[in-house]
Amino acid sequence: MKIIVAIAFILILASLGSALFFLMRDKGKSNRTVQALTMRVGLSIVLFLLILLAYKLGYIQPTGIH
């Protein structure tokens, strides 16, 4: 489960980086920045739902703050 979350986090950061790249390169003349940011939001929502599902199925357990 840790590997899946780490991969999803890396994909989210890569999408954010590509949005920055497209913003600097296209100067707002194309929709590639919007598409990259939309993908980032979608990946974040999927990651959140995956964490909730993993908790419900018992793959992860809360440990609390010690």
Side-chain angles (χ1 to χ4, degrees), residues 6-63:
I7 290 171
F9 189 66
I10 289 170
L11 288 174
I12 290 168
L13 288 177
S15 178
L16 188 61
S18 68
L20 177 64
F21 175 76
F22 292 141
L23 180 66
M24 292 296 164
R25 186 174 187 136
D26 296 342
K27 307 281 192 234
K29 294 181 176 132
S30 73
N31 289 337
R32 293 193 298 180
T33 302
V34 175
Q35 291 171 349
L37 290 175
T38 302
M39 181 170 289
R40 183 191 65 86
V41 170
L43 287 171
S44 297
I45 291 171
V46 168
L47 177 61
F48 180 73
L49 293 175
L50 179 68
I51 290 172
L52 284 178
L53 181 66
Y55 172 71
K56 289 289 185 186
L57 294 176
Y59 292 130
I60 57 174
Q61 299 294 323
T63 58

